[in-house]
Amino acid sequence: MRPNPLTLTASLIACGLVAGTIQAGEADAARIKRGAQLAAFGGCVDCHTPFKLGPNGPEKDMARGLSGHPAELVLPPPPKLDGAWSWGGSGSMTAFVGPWGVSYATNLTSDRETGIGAWSEKDFIQAMRKGKHLGAGRPIMPPMPWRSVGSLPDPELRALFAYLKAQPPVNNKVPDYVPPATSAR
């Protein structure tokens, strides 16, 4: 009995789709792995993951990894800065003060409401290139090294974005940036 040409064609297309999906999955895994390397090298966790008290003192709270400044952590007014001391950071390592005002590490998780889950790859690249939230909004404030990150080639920025989007969503609304006029004592 001869095989049905239509069945044979459908089978070949299905095999090609499965093989393509496997290759795409491997490419995505490689991109995410490269993004993880870039995030580690860039110290993303250092500022975008809050501390918790562990058995040996303060340690990064990886259950809230990359979720930014904790919404529930309301800080008192920052100290007065003058002279050689022109900027400072909170004990959580997620809030910073300087001549720019008070900035809070943003939520970089895939949460669609409070993180970057609704961002497109283009939004992320534009934000890093232009130093503006979503590439067109408010300025990204210090100490975020957006100029350094933005100097990466597009494939590296796409890898970093893929890694961030692969992180579990953490719903955490970070406080808004406070300009210098309202943050001064």
Side-chain angles (χ1 to χ4, degrees), residues 19-115:
T21 301
I22 290 170
Q23 288 175 345
E26 290 171 0
D28 288 346
R31 180 182 283 187
I32 290 168
K33 181 178 179 182
R34 177 63 181 149
Q37 292 170 328
L38 291 166
F41 180 76
C44 300
V45 169
D46 295 343
C47 293
H48 291 273
T49 301
F51 277 86
K52 68 177 181 175
L53 191 56
N56 298 316
E59 61 186 36
K60 291 292 181 182
D61 183 357
M62 295 315 291
R64 298 191 304 176
L66 297 170
S67 66
H69 182 80
E72 72 279 2
L73 179 57
V74 178
L75 297 173
K80 182 169 174 43
L81 302 173
D82 57 10
W85 291 95
S86 62
W87 76 283
S90 68
S92 66
M93 290 294 294
T94 57
F96 306 90
V97 63
W100 63 86
V102 178
S103 53
Y104 298 90
T106 59
N107 185 342
L108 298 179
T109 73
S110 60
D111 186 73
R112 293 189 63 77
E113 182 183 333
T114 63

